Amino acid sequence: LSREAAYAAVQRAAARAWDGADFAEELRSDPEVAGRLSQEILAQCLSLEHHLRNAPHSLRVLDDDPAAG
């Protein structure tokens, strides 16, 4: 899947989500996405825990930074 095709698939799902659909469900039901990513991999891609895993460390660093003060 090219970068452009992946971008288009995400944009289609996002446009439906703007109208109230569930973004993750839209991606799961998209044949281009479902044909290339397992449900497990897609769930990992959409996991907030994965994307925020370094937030506590970043906040500690900012809290310890005198310039942030």
Side-chain angles (χ1 to χ4, degrees):
L1 187 63
S2 71
R3 183 173 192 236
E4 292 79 13
Y7 180 82
V10 170
Q11 289 300 304
R12 282 192 305 272
R16 290 188 207 106
W18 295 327
D19 292 331
D22 180 84
F23 178 70
E25 185 54 41
E26 290 297 322
L27 286 175
R28 281 192 285 277
S29 65
D30 186 302
E32 276 191 291
V33 175
R36 289 176 168 48
L37 297 176
S38 69
Q39 295 297 313
E40 181 181 342
I41 295 296
L42 185 55
Q44 289 174 4
C45 291
L46 297 171
S47 166
L48 286 178
E49 289 80 16
H50 172 76
H51 293 289
L52 297 176
R53 69 189 181 278
N54 293 318
H57 172 73
S58 299
L59 292 172
R60 276 193 307 277
V61 169
L62 289 173
D63 191 43
D64 291 342
D65 184 359

